[in-house]
Amino acid sequence: MAKKSEAERETVVHGTANVFADLGYPDAEERQTKLRLAYAINRILVRRKLTQSVAAETLGVNQPKISALLRYKLDGFSVERLMIFLTALDRDVEISIKKKPRSRTSGRISVIAA
């Protein structure tokens, strides 16, 4: 097999911390926020060993919604609704608004789960 020349080798492009932005989604920040909130919710549900039906009752939704949440199919969920789920699971949700650093061109949304 012949060696590839430098020009033929694929270049590696380092991504950002947001895979959705790297993939070009226009709503990348919202998708990343939903993903992190869903991850926190799913960790709690797994840790508590709740069945999907018990989780649905706890969160006030039907079982198919819990199934979608557990599989990270998040199109049917708003950021607000996911935060409400966290409060139903005995978690406090804090929103902190602060000035962005000069080094960044725009503000961002981030979720930090303790």
Side-chain angles (χ1 to χ4, degrees), residues 21-32:
D22 296 340
L23 293 172
Y25 284 95
D27 58 347
E29 291 288 334
E30 180 181 6
R31 286 176 182 262
Q32 182 79 2

Side-chain angles (χ1 to χ4, degrees), residues 31-99:
R31 286 176 182 262
Q32 182 79 2
T33 300
K34 286 171 146 184
L35 178 68
R36 289 184 180 216
L37 291 169
Y39 180 75
I41 293 164
N42 288 342
R43 283 181 54 201
I44 295 164
L45 297 178
V46 168
R47 197 174 311 128
R48 290 187 183 179
K49 299 178 182 173
L50 298 179
T51 64
Q52 288 187 14
S53 58
V54 171
E57 187 177 320
T58 303
L59 300 179
V61 295
N62 59 25
Q63 179 274 327
K65 284 285 188 189
I66 297 300
S67 178
L69 179 65
L70 290 169
R71 294 192 342 251
Y72 295 95
K73 295 187 175 194
L74 304 175
D75 286 337
F77 299 97
S78 67
V79 170
E80 178 184 17
R81 191 172 193 194
L82 294 170
M83 290 190 296
I84 290 168
F85 289 171
L86 284 164
T87 62
L89 293 167
D90 300 324
R91 296 300 189 270
D92 289 336
V93 177
E94 293 181 9
I95 298 174
S96 173
I97 301 170
K98 57 187 176 182
K99 189 170 176 147

